[in-house]
Amino acid sequence: MKKNKPKYKLIIDAAVQVIAENGYHAAQVSKIAKQAGVADGTIYLYFKNKEDILVSVFEEKMGQFIQQIANAIDTKENANDKLLTLIHMHFSQLAADHHLAIVAQLELRQSNPALRRKINQVLKPYLQVIDSIIQEGIDENIYAADVNITLVRQMVFGTLDEMVTNWVIKEGKYNLVEQAEAVHALLTEGLNKR
Amino acid sequence: MKKNKPKYKLIIDAAVQVIAENGYHAAQVSKIAKQAGVADGTIYLYFKNKEDILVSVFEEKMGQFIQQIANAIDTKENANDKLLTLIHMHFSQLAADHHLAIVAQLELRQSNPALRRKINQVLKPYLQVIDSIIQEGIDENIYAADVNITLVRQMVFGTLDEMVTNWVIKEGKYNLVEQAEAVHALLTEGLNKR
Amino acid sequence: MKKNKPKYKLIIDAAVQVIAENGYHAAQVSKIAKQAGVADGTIYLYFKNKEDILVSVFEEKMGQFIQQIANAIDTKENANDKLLTLIHMHFSQLAADHHLAIVAQLELRQSNPALRRKINQVLKPYLQVIDSIIQEGIDENIYAADVNITLVRQMVFGTLDEMVTNWVIKEGKYNLVEQAEAVHALLTEGLNKR
Amino acid sequence: MKKNKPKYKLIIDAAVQVIAENGYHAAQVSKIAKQAGVADGTIYLYFKNKEDILVSVFEEKMGQFIQQIANAIDTKENANDKLLTLIHMHFSQLAADHHLAIVAQLELRQSNPALRRKINQVLKPYLQVIDSIIQEGIDENIYAADVNITLVRQMVFGTLDEMVTNWVIKEGKYNLVEQAEAVHALLTEGLNKR
DNA sequence: TATGAATGAGGTTTCATTCAT
DNA sequence: TATGAATGAAACCTCATTCAT
């Protein structure tokens, strides 16, 4: 399996750095190769083409991202704690890796629809984690039984995504992670005064 | 003023169609010119360069988009009605113009950072409309006085944006507009059972 | 005759100024039209095409240039005085009109060979004036009878041309006209010590 | 060093030929590439841009040109022999390579001021060779001690340049080289009868 | 005569990918 | 496996010229 060879990871990490520093469109294969310390042609021993590098970047990093969140959630007992944990982890992981945050929130979205469709595939397991938390909340009689799970998931993910994107655009000038509880409160209790 | 000349609008509309049908990167100036029924060079009598076409597309269309919403909101008396109206209009306007929805949700996001920054400028007035509704809701004692307006706005916009994007990706296979009330309820009342 | 209409001269003078200030390649027809205070299309009522403007510029200005020199020479009695006068006039006329000097020495030489051939036609009468002075010098028994007139003319013109070009490149930072006598001495007496 | 790679010279020579045959402005990069038997993109592995090709053409060819002359001059003992040798070499080298003569005398002069400035830099060593010969002649008490060296150099170079240009325009229809001695005599002894 | 909006041909350069070594 | 020199397709923009008014 190629993914276990040392140069595979070397190239993935080089790609993240090059894209973060130069932007998606200026991230030429030759730059990634140079950053990884391999020849241009070597890239093609590990990746089918440039798009394959980018999808793999997302797969690798998002895989870790989701795994971390899934692990953290497993330690929590109820849906509310799990949701708060997910929000907290979502923010903290991206806040901890600024390069990755830039790539995930800004640069990779400049890719063409074909690539974005593949990225969406990679994202699916994460969305399912959100779905299952919501379902659990309903089963635990915490969340309203009549909520549309898809709708709630779109709200949760849309909100988190928009928040991280704004934070990246503002170049991380404020503390994202400390907003986790406020977001959680807002999502669960809504805007209305009680 | 160039914007009032007939060919200006002709080119803008041609650009929306060409981008929607071919994608952002395959939208060559020559294709837009042909679709608009003008010579390539004519484009440059009305637009500084290709990027200027794209920014103008967004400005024109988003300007109308916001104006329509602002008008509709003005007829409503309280923040809750206004918020529902905004959601409804947001969905219905994009659902009514599929080409525009594709361009706004998918294609224009492939643009480079410089262009995206300009697009964000155009978007700002819309975000301010959302902000003012939230402030109004607080003043009317409907929304909780201690909410973070920026946070709420990110939730509202993030949710709507994510929903429209998913709807576009699903190629408009379901009815987006009829979800407006459910989204409104979710945003205002939150996820929790009462 | 078009050449007597007021706009003809207007366009010619505009062309000299635009070329001198912007350079040959940046001297678009539209710029010349604007400088002349006429519409782009009007240019084509007076000139066949852009090349025709440039040839006409040279014809008009060089025609005056030669006429001035011819007039001045006519007042001189012998070949030596005539040659000195020609040198002096050659320098002083170009030194007096810096725009024209730039156009004649630098900018017009960037034109294509077809245009340059036409310019050479315009130059011919001037070369004939030089030839006739040399012939006169031989007839007056001042110049060596066995000189090759074509060769001498190439030396005279080549020297003057090179000197003016260098002076233009040096942006007129030194006095060109006061070198006239030294050049004359050098051309007639040669480099050798006597 | 790229200059030693075989394709470097291949492209330089192709450029001379293409420019000579098609003219400066019709010398597209693709034509030069085809003539050199390489792909368009290969050009850019050896040259920064099109202007760099042209400057390099001049540098390479003029470098050889000057070197040949310098070598020949070194074998001569006095300034007069050296000057005659320089004239002879100047003519014979350009007469021997008609393509190069066309490029040097006509085509490259159509270039823009930026390129011409660079070309002038390349030319400088040649002008210094002329200067040093003149200085040597003065030191040897052959040339008049009071001559202005810059002036003499402008006469010498201007004369030679004008002669070669005329010869090229006349398409090499007469023998240029055999005029070397006559030019030398004219430059040193002047026009006057003795 | 005069206008100026419209035309449309044409070329430099980049960069993902290949393949001989 | 690894290299890196070579490939070649593809597109934005300018500007001389025209022609309906």
Side-chain angles (χ1 to χ4, degrees):
Chain A
M1 176 116 192
K2 284 191 173 159
K3 303 201 176 186
N4 297 322
K5 303 226 174 156
K7 294 200 177 167
Y8 180 84
K9 267 191 66 61
L10 220 54
I11 294 167
I12 292 275
D13 288 336
V16 172
Q17 184 170 348
V18 169
I19 294 172
E21 288 176 353
N22 301 275
Y24 177 81
H25 281 112
Q28 296 96 330
V29 172
S30 62
K31 248 183 212 158
I32 297 173
K34 185 175 235 177
Q35 173 68 34
V38 302
D40 292 15
T42 305
I43 299 270
Y44 290 87
L45 298 174
Y46 294 89
F47 300 90
K48 210 166 77 254
N49 50 34
K50 187 181 178 180
E51 182 175 311
D52 190 26
I53 308 176
L54 302 173
V55 173
S56 301
V57 162
F58 207 76
E59 276 175 359
E60 287 291 313
K61 297 299 182 182
M62 187 51 62
Q64 295 169 21
F65 181 87
I66 297 175
Q67 197 53 53
Q68 294 290 329
I69 294 181
N71 290 346
I73 283 175
D74 275 353
T75 69
K76 304 299 173 184
E77 302 265 308
N78 61 63
N80 243 348
D81 282 1
K82 290 187 177 179
L83 183 57
L84 177 56
T85 303
L86 179 138
I87 295 168
H88 198 277
M89 292 289 295
H90 188 130
F91 287 171
S92 63
Q93 287 193 85
L94 290 170
D97 190 343
H98 203 228
H99 274 173
L100 182 61
I102 292 171
V103 172
Q105 301 300 129
L106 299 184
E107 300 303 341
L108 240 36
R109 309 201 175 186
Q110 297 176 51
S111 60
N112 57 56
L115 175 51
R116 276 222 302 279
R117 222 169 295 128
K118 291 192 184 175
I119 289 177
N120 278 334
Q121 288 306 314
V122 179
L123 214 55
K124 227 169 219 171
Y126 184 52
L127 301 180
Q128 286 166 349
V129 168
I130 299 177
D131 284 359
S132 66
I133 293 177
I134 299 163
Q135 182 62 56
E136 201 175 321
I138 294 169
D139 295 346
E140 290 169 356
N141 215 20
I142 301 176
Y143 299 153
D146 59 350
V147 295
N148 177 335
I149 294 186
T150 303
L151 191 58
V152 175
R153 178 234 296 158
Q154 288 176 129
M155 176 178 72
V156 173
F157 183 79
T159 300
L160 301 188
D161 195 56
E162 175 73 10
M163 288 184 69
V164 180
T165 297
N166 282 328
W167 177 81
V168 171
I169 287 172
K170 289 280 190 293
E171 291 174 320
K173 291 257 165 63
Y174 54 90
N175 190 317
L176 180 65
V177 182
E178 71 183 18
Q179 299 200 50
E181 292 193 18
V183 184
H184 177 260
L186 196 56
L187 290 170
T188 52
E189 294 172 23
L191 193 47
N192 284 346
K193 189 171 183 178
R194 317 229 148 185
Chain B
M1 177 122 194
K2 286 198 170 150
K3 302 203 176 185
N4 297 322
K5 300 218 179 162
K7 297 208 172 163
Y8 180 84
K9 269 191 66 61
L10 218 54
I11 294 168
I12 291 275
D13 289 335
V16 173
Q17 184 171 347
V18 169
I19 295 172
E21 288 176 354
N22 301 275
Y24 176 81
H25 280 113
Q28 298 100 326
V29 171
S30 61
K31 257 184 206 155
I32 296 174
K34 188 176 234 177
Q35 173 67 36
V38 302
D40 292 18
T42 304
I43 299 271
Y44 291 88
L45 296 177
Y46 294 90
F47 300 91
K48 214 168 67 256
N49 50 35
K50 188 180 176 181
E51 181 174 313
D52 190 27
I53 308 176
L54 303 173
V55 173
S56 301
V57 162
F58 206 75
E59 277 175 357
E60 286 290 313
K61 297 299 183 181
M62 186 50 63
Q64 294 169 22
F65 180 88
I66 297 176
Q67 197 53 54
Q68 294 289 328
I69 294 181
N71 290 346
I73 283 175
D74 274 353
T75 68
K76 304 299 172 184
E77 303 263 310
N78 61 65
N80 243 348
D81 282 1
K82 289 185 177 180
L83 182 58
L84 177 59
T85 301
L86 180 138
I87 295 169
H88 198 276
M89 292 289 295
H90 188 132
F91 287 172
S92 62
Q93 287 194 84
L94 289 170
D97 190 344
H98 200 228
H99 275 167
L100 182 62
I102 293 172
V103 171
Q105 300 301 128
L106 300 183
E107 300 302 341
L108 240 35
R109 308 201 176 187
Q110 298 175 52
S111 57
N112 57 55
L115 176 50
R116 276 225 301 280
R117 220 167 299 128
K118 291 190 185 174
I119 288 177
N120 278 335
Q121 286 307 314
V122 179
L123 213 55
K124 224 169 220 173
Y126 185 52
L127 302 179
Q128 286 166 347
V129 169
I130 299 177
D131 283 0
S132 67
I133 292 176
I134 300 163
Q135 183 61 54
E136 202 175 319
I138 295 169
D139 295 345
E140 290 169 356
N141 217 21
I142 302 175
Y143 300 152
D146 60 349
V147 293
N148 177 335
I149 292 185
T150 303
L151 191 59
V152 176
R153 179 233 297 157
Q154 287 177 125
M155 175 178 73
V156 172
F157 183 79
T159 301
L160 301 188
D161 195 57
E162 175 73 10
M163 287 184 71
V164 180
T165 298
N166 282 328
W167 177 82
V168 170
I169 287 173
K170 289 281 191 293
E171 292 173 320
K173 290 263 167 58
Y174 55 89
N175 190 317
L176 179 65
V177 180
E178 70 184 17
Q179 299 200 51
E181 291 191 19
V183 184
H184 177 261
L186 196 55
L187 291 170
T188 52
E189 294 172 22
L191 194 47
N192 284 347
K193 190 171 182 177
R194 316 226 149 184
Chain C
M1 176 115 193
K2 286 193 172 155
K3 301 201 177 186
N4 297 323
K5 302 226 175 157
K7 293 198 177 168
Y8 180 84
K9 267 192 67 60
L10 220 52
I11 294 168
I12 292 276
D13 288 336
V16 172
Q17 184 171 348
V18 169
I19 296 173
E21 288 177 353
N22 301 274
Y24 177 81
H25 281 112
Q28 295 94 333
V29 171
S30 61
K31 249 184 212 158
I32 296 174
K34 185 175 234 177
Q35 173 69 34
V38 301
D40 292 18
T42 304
I43 298 271
Y44 290 86
L45 298 174
Y46 294 89
F47 300 92
K48 212 166 76 252
N49 51 34
K50 187 179 177 180
E51 183 174 310
D52 190 25
I53 308 175
L54 303 173
V55 173
S56 301
V57 162
F58 207 76
E59 276 175 359
E60 287 291 313
K61 297 299 182 180
M62 187 48 64
Q64 295 169 22
F65 181 88
I66 297 175
Q67 196 54 53
Q68 294 289 329
I69 294 181
N71 290 346
I73 284 176
D74 274 354
T75 69
K76 304 298 172 184
E77 304 263 309
N78 61 64
N80 242 348
D81 282 359
K82 288 184 179 182
L83 181 58
L84 177 57
T85 301
L86 179 139
I87 295 169
H88 199 276
M89 292 290 293
H90 187 132
F91 287 172
S92 62
Q93 287 193 85
L94 288 170
D97 189 344
H98 202 228
H99 275 172
L100 182 63
I102 293 171
V103 172
Q105 301 301 129
L106 299 184
E107 301 301 342
L108 239 37
R109 309 202 174 185
Q110 297 176 49
S111 59
N112 57 56
L115 175 51
R116 276 223 300 279
R117 221 167 296 127
K118 291 191 184 174
I119 289 177
N120 277 335
Q121 287 308 313
V122 179
L123 214 56
K124 224 167 223 174
Y126 184 53
L127 302 180
Q128 285 166 351
V129 168
I130 300 177
D131 283 1
S132 68
I133 293 177
I134 301 162
Q135 182 62 54
E136 201 175 320
I138 295 171
D139 295 345
E140 291 169 355
N141 217 20
I142 302 174
Y143 300 153
D146 60 351
V147 293
N148 176 335
I149 292 185
T150 303
L151 191 59
V152 174
R153 177 233 299 157
Q154 288 175 128
M155 174 178 74
V156 172
F157 183 79
T159 300
L160 300 188
D161 194 58
E162 175 74 11
M163 287 185 71
V164 180
T165 296
N166 282 329
W167 176 81
V168 171
I169 287 174
K170 288 280 190 293
E171 293 173 319
K173 291 260 167 59
Y174 54 91
N175 190 317
L176 179 65
V177 181
E178 73 185 15
Q179 300 200 50
E181 291 193 19
V183 185
H184 178 261
L186 196 56
L187 290 170
T188 52
E189 294 173 22
L191 193 48
N192 284 347
K193 190 173 184 177
R194 316 228 146 186
Chain D
M1 176 121 193
K2 288 199 167 149
K3 302 203 176 186
N4 297 322
K5 301 218 176 161
K7 298 207 172 164
Y8 180 85
K9 269 191 63 64
L10 219 53
I11 293 167
I12 290 275
D13 287 336
V16 172
Q17 184 170 346
V18 169
I19 294 172
E21 287 175 354
N22 300 275
Y24 176 81
H25 281 114
Q28 296 100 327
V29 172
S30 61
K31 254 183 208 159
I32 296 174
K34 185 175 235 177
Q35 174 67 34
V38 302
D40 292 16
T42 304
I43 299 272
Y44 291 86
L45 297 176
Y46 294 90
F47 300 91
K48 212 167 70 257
N49 49 35
K50 189 179 175 181
E51 181 174 314
D52 190 27
I53 308 176
L54 303 174
V55 174
S56 301
V57 162
F58 206 75
E59 277 176 358
E60 285 292 312
K61 297 300 183 180
M62 186 52 61
Q64 294 169 21
F65 180 89
I66 296 175
Q67 197 52 53
Q68 293 291 328
I69 294 181
N71 290 347
I73 284 175
D74 275 353
T75 67
K76 305 299 173 184
E77 303 264 309
N78 61 63
N80 243 347
D81 282 0
K82 289 185 178 180
L83 182 58
L84 176 58
T85 302
L86 179 138
I87 294 168
H88 198 276
M89 292 289 294
H90 188 132
F91 288 171
S92 63
Q93 285 193 88
L94 289 170
D97 189 343
H98 200 227
H99 276 168
L100 182 62
I102 293 172
V103 171
Q105 301 300 127
L106 300 183
E107 300 301 340
L108 241 35
R109 307 199 178 188
Q110 299 175 53
S111 57
N112 57 55
L115 177 50
R116 275 224 303 280
R117 220 167 299 127
K118 291 191 185 174
I119 289 178
N120 278 335
Q121 286 307 314
V122 179
L123 211 56
K124 225 167 218 172
Y126 184 51
L127 301 180
Q128 286 167 346
V129 168
I130 299 177
D131 282 2
S132 67
I133 292 177
I134 300 162
Q135 182 62 54
E136 200 175 321
I138 295 169
D139 295 345
E140 289 169 356
N141 217 20
I142 302 175
Y143 300 152
D146 59 351
V147 292
N148 177 334
I149 292 186
T150 302
L151 190 60
V152 174
R153 179 233 298 156
Q154 289 176 126
M155 175 178 73
V156 172
F157 183 78
T159 300
L160 300 188
D161 195 56
E162 175 74 10
M163 287 185 71
V164 180
T165 296
N166 283 328
W167 176 81
V168 170
I169 287 173
K170 289 280 191 293
E171 292 173 318
K173 292 258 166 60
Y174 55 89
N175 190 318
L176 180 66
V177 181
E178 71 184 17
Q179 300 200 49
E181 292 194 18
V183 184
H184 178 260
L186 197 55
L187 291 170
T188 52
E189 294 173 21
L191 192 49
N192 283 346
K193 188 171 183 179
R194 317 225 149 186

